[in-house]
Amino acid sequence: MASTHTLRVPGARLHYEVRGSGPLLLLFGSPMGAAPFTPLAEALASEYTVVTHDPRGISRSVLDDPEQDSTPDLRADDVAALLDHLGADTADMFGSSGGAVTGLAVATRHPGRVRTVVAHEPPVLELLPDAADRRAVTDDIIETFHREGHGPAWVKFMTAAGFDLEAAGPPQGEFSEQDLADSARFFAHELRGTTRYVPDVAALKACPGRVVVGIGVESGGLVTYRTSTALADLLGTPPVEFPGEHGGFASHVGPFAETLRKTLAG
């Protein structure tokens, strides 16, 4: 059972949850909030004190200014504030997708707070040879959202990311008001800042903690496979393969938790 809390940070109130006992482990995404990480957190809670949170502007983490853009640096500062609030000097961290970019920013801006950060499939598009084309595609996705709404924007986003929409089939169930609000937040205020983040490779190499790139064993057709490989090459360390593809932390919880345990153990 998780305990739920709220932390006031500059410009926002962060919702976070704590489970288990042992060394501190933070799990986070972007735009994903705490909820998708609940099964993984519960699988790890027997060995770690696992903390999950909703990034600022997502779900239960409310902004003072709803028009504020979300950037990896801003989210990294929130992670550092959360560590301060918990009385922790350092922690292990796992970030997936945009949360992986947040993790890279933590290792860059607050290197002394990191024991190990696992950046699972960060969409760092600026590292790709076709970065200019990827920028244009991202801008078109955002413009599509403003012009046509959520559905067409998500189709373009998933297609650009490399997902097989025909194989996936139509979306199941209806979107809640919160889902739609989080989706709007993502397209209007988060997507551009996350995908245009340029990792400071020198700073990541100098980080006293370990920076590990994670990659889904089934992600070969995704653009995040390319970005993860590019980042690992720049860091000079091989990526760690995790079960599943981009959302493997939710679809392959048990094996994914075991791989994460082994990775954190070094």
Side-chain angles (χ1 to χ4, degrees), residues 9 14 26 28-30 53 55-56 70-84 93 98-111 113-114 197:
V9 294
L14 296 183
L26 274 59
F28 44 80
S30 177
H53 73 282
R56 61 170 55 218
S70 176
T71 67
D73 285 347
L74 192 56
R75 299 194 300 269
D77 291 347
D78 288 342
V79 170
L82 188 54
L83 291 179
D84 288 340
M93 304 176 195
V101 185
T102 304
L104 297 175
V106 174
T108 300
R109 293 173 67 81
H110 308 281
R113 314 306 295 271
V114 172
Y197 180 81

Side-chain angles (χ1 to χ4, degrees), residues 6-257:
T6 301
L7 171 63
R8 181 73 192 182
V9 294
R13 296 190 306 278
L14 296 183
H15 169 92
Y16 73 95
E17 302 173 3
V18 182
R19 293 173 174 82
S21 60
L24 185 60
L25 170 62
L26 274 59
L27 309 177
F28 44 80
S30 177
M32 306 87 76
F37 291 94
T38 295
L40 181 61
E42 292 180 345
L44 294 163
S46 62
E47 299 165 64
Y48 296 92
T49 299
V50 186
V51 177
T52 57
H53 73 282
D54 296 336
R56 61 170 55 218
I58 296 295
S59 192
R60 296 152 292 186
S61 289
V62 182
L63 292 170
D64 295 347
D65 175 11
E67 296 304 309
Q68 180 192 54
D69 288 336
S70 176
T71 67
D73 285 347
L74 192 56
R75 299 194 300 269
D77 291 347
D78 288 342
V79 170
L82 188 54
L83 291 179
D84 288 340
H85 179 69
L86 294 168
D89 292 330
T90 62
D92 290 318
M93 304 176 195
F94 170 84
S96 187
S97 194
V101 185
T102 304
L104 297 175
V106 174
T108 300
R109 293 173 67 81
H110 308 281
R113 314 306 295 271
V114 172
R115 288 198 298 263
T116 295
V117 58
V118 179
H120 179 255
E121 300 208 2
V124 279
L125 302 182
E126 293 296 313
L127 298 186
L128 299 179
D130 57 345
D133 292 338
R134 289 288 168 179
R135 259 181 254 130
V137 169
T138 299
D139 288 343
D140 179 62
I141 292 168
I142 295 167
E143 290 165 8
T144 298
F145 165 71
H146 288 298
R147 186 176 62 248
E148 302 176 38
H150 300 263
W154 275 116
V155 169
K156 284 190 175 182
F157 174 83
M158 298 295 282
T159 300
F163 290 99
D164 186 343
L165 296 187
E166 289 188 9
Q172 301 296 312
E174 294 188 6
F175 293 108
S176 67
E177 287 188 17
Q178 187 62 62
D179 290 334
L180 294 175
D182 291 347
S183 175
R185 173 83 190 152
F186 174 59
F187 286 121
H189 297 289
E190 190 168 317
L191 176 60
R192 183 178 282 117
T194 295
T195 57
R196 293 196 182 173
Y197 180 81
V198 180
D200 185 334
V201 174
L204 293 174
K205 286 183 174 182
C207 178
R210 296 167 60 226
V211 179
V212 178
V213 178
I215 196 166
V217 70
E218 298 175 16
S219 293
L222 302 183
V223 70
T224 48
Y225 186 96
R226 294 175 59 207
T227 56
S228 300
T229 301
L231 178 60
D233 286 346
L234 289 172
L235 293 175
T237 57
V240 174
E241 288 191 336
F242 280 80
E245 54 171 34
H246 195 60
F249 67 88
S251 63
H252 295 65
V253 175
F256 201 100

